[in-house]
Amino acid sequence: MTSPVLSSSGPDTVPGGPGAPDPGALPASSRQDWCWHWVRSHTEDSTPLESPEVLRLRGRLDTGALRDALAEIETRHEALRLHLAGDGGPAADAAWPGQRLRAAPGGLDVVPVRPGDEEAEVTRTLDRRLDPTDRMARMTLLRSADDDHVLVGQFHHLVMDATSHDVFRRELAAGYAARTGAAGGTPAEGPAPFGYVDMIRREGSARAGEDRRDRAAAVARTLRAHGADQPLPAGPGAEVTHRARFAGIPLALSAEHGERLLRWCREQRTTPHNALLALLARGVAEVYERDRLVASVYMHGRTTPAARGAVGLLCNVLPVPLDVAGGSLSALARRTGERVLAAWDGVDLPLSAVADHAAARTGTEAVFRTAMSHLEFRMTGGAGRSGREAGAPLPFGAGLSAEHMAYEPPDRGLRFSGRRQALQCARTLYADAHVTENGVTGSLWYDEQYHDTVRLTRVSDIFHAYVGNLPVS
């Protein structure tokens, strides 16, 4: 195996970290844990870990009703009122500084904008990074005319996930409609049935902590047995720097092959998510001559009916041990599905707790989210995590139309704050897939400083060959 060289073009680590912990502050939730370490793995000139919500509002707007609806959402959903109690900047060796809950919502800033300058002002607004020690949610209303506004919601990923955006939009539309007397408007009553702070406190109990430590140790043993401490070999002359350099190989499937995959999934009683993960893992295993791999998947973590209507970061990154050698593709897909389902039991495990037992980190240093896996897989559409319904109408009522504006932050790339974090990211392969009725789009991403492009092209070829030859009736 070729060992990569990490060049000295960046700092070893950023020293520092918060002082003595605040005894009255809250710990991180099990879901915030991986996100905190992701933040700490990068320097400040990396793409910010924020999740915007941008809505174009056309029609006569009742600003007071909008302000009250937003305040109600922040009051009901505690995650939006959390802020860090100490240093929130990047430092690979800094521990969680604690967080506190604001008593009141953050309000709404109204900014006048010249007509035609809305998109540029959205960019300027979102370029002002959140200070998580002050707040992790900020709302700005851009007004270009009495009947033309853009609402810009800025959320730190520590308190927001994709499903939360859906909940936020629904409650905002319903709350505004209720305050303006529109038909179908339903005001929210009382606090949300799911308490984010209550979840944090339950997780912080002595009994829960002991249980999680035992389960984290058991998960780590399984991951080590599947090669978590044996990364995929580097390409010839690999030299990983602190600045990631990603390249992608298409994994797209035509409508015909996409339909073949879906038919095979129905016949095998498996999901497209598990089937795609299984086929990709088999391709990686064949090229790298591995019998076992560890994959990383994202699970929404909304394990109770109350949590399904919650705003807050509830998804978690789960390492999934896979046995990929031998047997038919049908058997492989079933085994993969069983492993993914079993991993669900660990959705409340902090990723750092598993990493501690798997020797993926030392002390308080940040652990990159894929530190223990060979392949990260994300899927949207089909039976995977649903994307935002950008075209779905929002019933604000009262002659007000709302359109979701897509916004992609400038990609500043990833610069790592430490050597181990850079290598943990570089060693992993990253696959994304979006399933529609017109086929599958997606790519296999990799840091070209570490991985051999020729090898990964073979992985893609094997994957496409498997899909094209799936036996369907």
Side-chain angles (χ1 to χ4, degrees):
M1 170 176 164
T2 305
S3 298
V5 175
L6 186 63
S7 77
S8 58
S9 60
D12 290 340
T13 60
V14 178
D22 184 341
L26 295 163
S29 75
S30 55
R31 286 35 166 212
Q32 288 175 309
D33 177 82
W34 70 268
C35 191
W36 165 255
H37 285 277
W38 192 10
V39 172
R40 307 306 288 201
S41 292
H42 302 134
T43 58
E44 286 185 338
D45 60 345
S46 297
T47 301
L49 195 57
E50 296 178 5
S51 184
E53 179 75 52
V54 184
L55 297 175
R56 189 72 178 260
L57 304 174
R58 288 190 169 94
R60 188 67 63 172
L61 175 68
D62 185 332
T63 305
L66 180 66
R67 193 188 309 273
D68 289 347
L70 288 168
E72 179 183 76
I73 293 173
E74 284 197 47
T75 300
R76 280 172 53 80
H77 297 284
E78 296 165 328
L80 298 180
R81 289 185 283 122
L82 290 170
H83 68 99
L84 296 184
D87 179 21
D93 61 347
W96 172 259
Q99 60 187 337
R100 286 190 173 277
L101 184 67
R102 288 186 173 275
L108 174 67
D109 297 327
V110 181
V111 178
V113 179
R114 287 186 296 183
D117 198 28
E118 294 88 355
E119 290 190 13
E121 189 60 37
V122 167
T123 299
R124 284 192 288 269
T125 299
L126 293 173
D127 276 346
R128 293 188 296 114
R129 287 194 180 194
L130 289 165
D131 175 3
T133 65
D134 174 50
R135 63 185 69 252
M136 291 195 273
R138 182 168 63 211
M139 305 304 302
T140 305
L141 183 66
L142 308 179
R143 172 179 288 166
S144 57
D146 288 343
D147 59 354
D148 197 354
H149 298 78
V150 178
L151 179 65
V152 182
Q154 202 168 352
F155 306 99
H156 200 287
H157 201 7
L158 278 165
V159 298
M160 200 73 165
D161 60 14
T163 303
S164 295
H165 279 278
D166 298 332
V167 176
F168 173 83
R169 284 195 299 272
R170 288 197 304 268
E171 291 199 5
L172 179 61
Y176 180 86
R179 284 167 173 77
T180 55
T186 305
E189 297 181 0
F194 177 86
Y196 205 82
V197 171
D198 285 343
M199 180 187 76
I200 292 173
R201 287 177 174 148
R202 285 195 304 271
E203 290 183 342
S205 70
R207 174 176 289 186
E210 183 177 350
D211 172 67
R212 283 200 309 277
R213 283 191 295 272
D214 290 343
R215 288 191 291 131
V219 169
R221 286 194 295 272
T222 303
L223 297 181
R224 287 197 303 271
H226 282 73
D229 55 351
Q230 301 165 15
L232 298 177
E239 184 175 309
V240 177
T241 68
H242 284 75
R243 176 74 73 177
R245 193 166 72 230
F246 281 99
I249 297 174
L251 294 176
L253 301 178
S254 65
E256 177 185 355
H257 281 179
E259 175 57 29
R260 187 180 195 87
L261 173 71
L262 295 178
R263 285 174 57 195
W264 186 78
C265 289
R266 289 192 292 268
E267 292 176 6
Q268 300 300 321
R269 297 187 178 182
T270 190
T271 66
H273 176 279
N274 295 338
L276 287 169
L277 174 57
L279 298 179
L280 272 170
R282 175 63 68 84
V284 172
E286 288 188 15
V287 169
Y288 288 91
E289 299 181 343
R290 303 287 287 259
D291 292 335
R292 290 177 158 189
L293 293 172
V294 179
S296 283
V297 300
Y298 289 77
M299 292 194 176
H300 61 70
R302 295 170 186 268
T303 56
T304 66
R308 290 170 195 149
V311 171
L313 178 62
L314 289 165
C315 74
N316 205 349
V317 179
L318 300 184
V320 180
L322 299 177
D323 298 288
V324 285
S328 66
L329 294 181
S330 299
L332 175 61
R334 284 195 299 272
R335 290 199 306 269
T336 300
E338 290 167 357
R339 286 291 194 174
V340 170
L341 185 61
W344 181 274
D345 291 338
V347 76
D348 63 332
L349 291 178
L351 187 68
S352 64
V354 180
D356 287 341
H357 290 285
R361 73 169 186 150
T362 58
T364 59
E365 70 170 354
V367 54
F368 193 73
R369 68 178 195 268
T370 60
M372 296 169 286
S373 66
H374 308 99
L375 171 67
E376 179 187 271
F377 180 67
R378 299 195 200 199
M379 174 180 152
T380 57
R385 179 177 61 81
S386 64
R388 297 184 196 176
E389 297 296 333
L394 295 173
F396 278 78
L400 185 67
S401 67
E403 175 188 1
H404 182 266
M405 291 177 61
Y407 172 81
E408 290 294 333
D411 186 3
R412 301 179 179 136
L414 301 179
R415 183 176 177 82
F416 291 94
S417 53
R419 291 177 179 272
R420 275 167 59 93
Q421 291 76 31
L423 282 173
Q424 286 169 349
C425 173
R427 289 167 172 165
T428 309
L429 303 175
Y430 302 84
D432 65 81
H434 181 64
V435 179
T436 70
E437 60 184 10
N438 296 319
V440 177
T441 58
S443 296
L444 180 65
W445 299 96
Y446 60 99
D447 191 328
E448 59 185 357
Q449 300 171 103
Y450 181 93
H451 286 286
D452 179 6
T453 301
V454 174
R455 268 185 160 176
L456 297 186
T457 301
R458 287 170 53 204
V459 171
S460 174
D461 291 343
I462 291 171
F463 166 76
H464 284 97
Y466 277 140
V467 174
N469 292 292
L470 289 173
V472 294
S473 58

